[in-house]
Amino acid sequence: MPPRYNPPPTWPAPPAGWSPPPGWHPNSSWPLPPPGWQLWVDERPQPGWLRVTRRIYLGPAHTPPGRKIIRAGLLGLLTLGVLSAPLQRLDPAPMATERVTLHRSPTPSGATGTAQTPLPPAPPTTPPPSPPTMPSPAVTVTVTVFHMLNLSDQDAASAQRRLHELGVRIVAMRSTDGKTVTALSGWTVIGQSHLPGEEITEDTTVTLTLDRNPPRLRTVPTKPPEPPARETTKPNPLATSQPPERATSSSVPAPGADPRFSTCREANAHGYEDYRQGVDVEYDWYEDRDGDGQVCERR
């Protein structure tokens, strides 16, 4: 099927069934057809997407020709902007630093058209120097360090007051079963979370363990002290009021002789010893078993 003549809406409408003869040209006074307008249309069935596109850009069939041109131009510009936006973000055009003036070069006789001078390459752009950054002032934080006190066996209220006077702000009071103690009367400190002398600060949480009957207050039976041992003095036989026995043949000791005992062992127990034959009268009182002329000698 031959193509059908399709005049633009701005041209005069042809008679029904009229087709331009060979060599026909439109009148020069007629306006130019819209961009992309086809003067010859194939009568074959158009695809659906083409019909939808024509309806979007040109509107319904009863739309006046002027509105069709305006509608097609606006939608074309919008489509062009939408399609070129991603390209501009990916490859932005360099910024020109100076204005370039275009001059029309003279053309030889008989020639048509104009020639433009090529644009000079844009000089490299140097980013402006960034202002010097001022160093931020150093912040000095002063932390006061204390040494933990020995609060064992002290009253709970007194221990809490001493810690507050030292500078500690948080003092927790706990009983032996882990409960919080609020009324401190009658409680005694038996333990503390930090050892005496340990370094702490005002933000350190000190926990004191309290007890109502600490071990130091419990009654512990004690053994009574033993009386001192008495010193026993050895009686002096010579200090007796009775005169010593005389050494006689009838068992009476002689004047100035030692007391007479039954055996040498008893004499040694009382501190007497070493009686020699012919020298001591006490020799005759005891038996010289080894015959060495001496009795009651210590072994």
Side-chain angles (χ1 to χ4, degrees):
M1 179 179 295
R4 179 180 59 84
Y5 172 67
N6 182 31
T10 55
W11 290 5
W18 182 83
S19 179
W24 176 85
H25 294 283
N27 194 342
S28 59
S29 62
W30 296 352
L32 295 176
W37 186 270
Q38 295 182 359
L39 294 178
W40 299 95
V41 179
D42 195 354
E43 291 296 337
R44 289 177 297 181
Q46 298 179 354
W49 64 268
L50 182 59
R51 292 196 302 271
V52 172
T53 304
R54 288 175 57 88
R55 184 176 181 83
I56 291 174
Y57 278 85
L58 300 180
H62 59 273
T63 303
R67 291 188 178 182
K68 288 185 178 181
I69 295 175
I70 297 174
R71 182 186 181 96
L74 293 177
L75 291 179
L77 293 176
L78 179 62
T79 304
L80 182 60
V82 172
L83 295 179
S84 62
L87 300 178
Q88 293 178 358
R89 288 197 298 267
L90 295 177
D91 187 14
M95 298 179 61
T97 57
E98 62 181 44
R99 182 175 298 177
V100 179
T101 304
L102 301 180
H103 301 278
R104 179 175 297 180
S105 60
T107 55
S109 58
T112 60
T114 58
Q116 298 179 353
T117 58
L119 297 177
T125 59
T126 303
S130 58
T133 57
M134 299 298 294
S136 58
V139 178
T140 303
V141 179
T142 303
V143 178
T144 305
V145 179
F146 314 104
H147 291 278
M148 183 62 186
L149 303 176
N150 185 8
L151 303 175
S152 298
D153 300 335
Q154 293 192 15
D155 179 69
S158 301
Q160 186 184 45
R161 182 175 61 256
R162 293 187 60 186
L163 287 175
H164 287 326
E165 292 175 354
L166 182 65
V168 180
R169 296 184 296 183
I170 305 175
V171 180
M173 298 293 185
R174 299 282 189 274
S175 60
T176 53
D177 56 359
K179 296 181 180 180
T180 302
V181 179
T182 56
L184 303 181
S185 177
W187 292 88
T188 304
V189 179
I190 63 172
Q192 54 192 52
S193 59
H194 296 78
L195 298 177
E198 184 177 350
E199 293 185 353
I200 58 177
T201 63
E202 59 182 7
D203 296 331
T204 303
T205 301
V206 177
T207 304
L208 300 181
T209 305
L210 310 181
D211 192 2
R212 285 190 177 275
N213 189 19
R216 72 179 186 89
L217 299 180
R218 296 172 184 167
T219 304
V220 180
T222 58
K223 184 178 179 181
E226 298 181 357
R230 296 181 180 180
E231 296 182 359
T232 57
T233 58
K234 182 179 179 180
N236 188 2
L238 299 179
T240 58
S241 59
Q242 298 180 357
E245 299 180 357
R246 296 181 178 272
T248 59
S249 58
S250 60
S251 72
V252 177
D258 293 337
R260 185 172 181 175
F261 301 95
S262 301
T263 61
C264 283
R265 178 176 299 177
E266 186 177 354
N268 293 149
H270 287 79
Y272 302 102
E273 60 183 359
D274 296 340
Y275 300 123
R276 292 174 294 176
Q277 185 180 10
V279 177
D280 300 315
V281 295
E282 294 87 348
Y283 176 83
D284 297 332
W285 300 347
Y286 306 101
E287 181 182 2
D288 187 2
R289 295 181 179 181
D290 54 3
D292 59 350
Q294 187 174 0
V295 296
C296 296
E297 65 270 28
R298 290 186 180 276
R299 300 298 180 182

